[in-house]
Amino acid sequence: MLLIHRSILKELLASFVLSIIFLNFTLIMEKLLKLSRLFSDAGVPVTDMAKIILYLQPQIFIFTIPMSLLLSTLLTYGRMDADNELTILKGSGMSFKGISAPVAYTGLVCFIISMAMSFYIGPKGSIMLREKVTEILTKRAPMTIEEGIFNTAFKDIIIMIKEKKSPDTLSGIFIVDERKKGEEKIITAQEGRIITENDTLSFSLVNGSIYIMQKNAHTEISFGKYHFRLNPSTEPSAKKNNELTPAELLSASRESGRKQTSYLLEFYRRLSLPAICLILILLGPSLALIAGKSGKLGGLTIGLSVFAAYYSLLIYGENLARSGKIPVFIGAWLSFAILGAFSLMVFQRANKR
């Protein structure tokens, strides 16, 4: 039996590695396309791009590890069923639980890795990613600002210049600042200079005007010199939910009333996504039997359909919790409970066959 388990485990791990490479590549391309607009004119070195890809991995692994576990199980056990190996093993006296043991070993390892990614490595990776993007934009911002072109690389800020005398010396400056909602600013200046200060970027402007537009008021201010500071980051300065540790999420949920639901949903998601690996220990081999001899394409279709249904239920439950229609705990765990009940049912059915 150990020899059989080792043989199944070897094929299972090979399929798992190929699945996670494929899924990671697919998801990371979507994220890199979002960042390409920021980096298109900045001339980002290959080393910095490699770091960005590395920092993106923990957040992607949280989703791709369970998906890869299910896909690799469907591919491996689907192939065994197509070759009648499962029938032979059952005929030799092995129970379905015994045949599914390699999936249990793999699922437990995936659960531990996913918990580490979700609770510790993921938040650190998100913080390091934001800091790296900010560093790149701060150092290379002068390269992104071109004459006669609207620059939108900075969040809620539009910049256009008439002439660029040197990399950090500008003239004919026009800036729209929409960072503060309800109070938009339009800044014009005859000349200006770009100043880099640690992780922030500033413009030292000369001879210009500031037009402040509020809901029921309009203010115009003329200046001889004006120091305009901006933070060239793709994210707000405050930490986002995916950058907080579990302890920080729970602490924030106790202190914040309006955002309490958001923090709690993020905390429960950190638990439920890795816990899917435990459910897939039951679901994967059972679905492989249901797929029958449909081949690898059938297993792939079933696997993707299961996760599409799961994430749809997850989003639906979280939206119900945010609207206050159901308690936060129920909304966060609704999809997990449905998938768990379904997995237990199909596993018991497959075990009796």
Side-chain angles (χ1 to χ4, degrees):
M1 185 177 292
L2 290 177
L3 180 62
I4 294 172
H5 285 173
R6 191 158 52 242
S7 177
I8 297 174
L9 189 60
K10 183 178 180 180
E11 183 177 350
L12 189 64
L13 291 176
S15 299
F16 178 81
V17 172
L18 291 176
S19 298
I20 206 165
I21 290 174
F22 169 74
L23 292 173
N24 272 37
F25 178 78
T26 303
L27 293 179
I28 205 169
M29 288 304 297
E30 183 267 338
K31 291 184 177 293
L32 287 177
L33 285 174
K34 289 183 178 180
L35 293 173
S36 64
R37 179 179 63 87
L38 298 175
F39 299 151
S40 58
D41 299 319
V44 180
V46 176
T47 54
D48 285 341
M49 287 302 300
K51 289 181 180 179
I52 289 173
I53 293 174
L54 179 64
Y55 298 152
L56 283 169
Q57 292 304 310
Q59 290 295 327
I60 295 177
F61 272 125
I62 295 172
F63 294 94
T64 57
I65 287 178
M67 293 176 67
S68 299
L69 175 62
L70 179 59
L71 291 179
S72 61
T73 303
L74 290 172
L75 294 174
T76 300
Y77 282 78
R79 197 276 307 163
M80 292 174 63
D81 188 43
D83 294 344
N84 297 314
E85 292 182 12
L86 294 181
T87 304
I88 295 172
L89 291 176
K90 285 184 177 181
S92 66
M94 285 187 69
S95 66
F96 186 68
K97 292 180 180 179
I99 297 172
S100 304
V103 182
Y105 306 147
T106 308
L108 288 173
V109 174
C110 289
F111 170 71
I112 294 172
I113 296 174
S114 296
M115 285 292 289
M117 292 289 177
S118 181
F119 272 52
Y120 303 106
I121 303 176
K124 291 183 179 179
S126 297
I127 293 173
M128 294 173 73
L129 173 64
R130 177 166 56 86
E131 291 175 349
K132 174 53 68 174
V133 172
T134 300
E135 177 188 341
I136 291 173
L137 290 178
T138 300
K139 291 181 178 179
R140 299 181 175 273
M143 301 179 187
T144 67
I145 300 176
E146 299 182 8
E147 299 176 353
I149 297 177
F150 286 102
N151 183 288
T152 58
F154 310 104
K155 186 176 179 63
D156 297 326
I157 293 177
I158 301 173
I159 302 173
M160 189 178 73
I161 61 169
K162 183 177 180 180
E163 185 180 358
K164 191 174 184 180
K165 299 179 179 179
S166 67
D168 60 352
T169 304
L170 317 172
S171 64
I173 302 167
F174 176 84
I175 300 173
V176 178
D177 184 1
E178 298 178 332
R179 290 176 295 183
K180 188 175 182 179
K181 302 304 178 183
E183 185 179 298
E184 298 180 355
K185 297 180 181 179
I186 297 178
I187 303 171
T188 62
Q190 295 181 6
E191 295 182 350
R193 189 166 58 89
I194 300 175
I195 302 174
T196 303
E197 301 173 326
N198 298 325
D199 62 342
T200 62
L201 196 72
S202 300
F203 289 105
S204 180
L205 305 177
V206 179
N207 298 331
S209 300
I210 303 175
Y211 303 90
I212 304 175
M213 293 170 287
Q214 297 174 322
K215 186 175 182 180
N216 299 317
H218 175 272
T219 305
E220 180 179 349
I221 303 173
S222 299
F223 60 84
K225 289 185 179 181
Y226 180 65
H227 192 76
F228 179 73
R229 177 175 295 179
L230 59 90
N231 185 16
S233 173
T234 56
E235 308 290 349
S237 55
K239 281 186 176 181
K240 293 189 69 179
N241 288 358
N242 63 352
E243 298 175 353
L244 298 174
T245 63
E248 290 173 337
L249 285 170
L250 290 176
S251 176
S253 68
R254 288 191 293 267
E255 296 174 1
S256 177
R258 190 176 64 177
K259 294 185 177 180
Q260 183 180 34
T261 299
S262 176
Y263 290 127
L264 286 176
L265 287 175
E266 177 68 21
F267 176 77
Y268 290 137
R269 182 180 282 201
R270 299 275 186 92
L271 288 172
S272 62
L273 288 178
I276 298 175
C277 297
L278 301 179
I279 292 180
L280 296 181
I281 293 175
L282 303 176
L283 184 62
S286 308
L287 283 182
L289 293 182
I290 295 175
K293 303 184 186 300
S294 58
K296 294 183 177 180
L297 183 60
L300 181 64
T301 303
I302 291 176
L304 294 178
S305 300
V306 167
F307 272 96
Y310 174 81
Y311 287 123
S312 297
L313 286 172
L314 177 65
I315 295 172
Y316 177 70
E318 289 183 348
N319 286 338
L320 287 177
R322 288 190 178 95
S323 63
K325 295 181 179 179
I326 59 175
V328 176
F329 182 83
I330 295 177
W333 291 96
L334 177 65
S335 56
F336 184 86
I338 294 174
L339 183 62
F342 175 74
S343 302
L344 184 60
M345 180 185 67
V346 296
F347 183 81
Q348 290 178 342
R349 187 175 179 180
N351 193 42
K352 292 178 182 179
R353 289 179 59 179

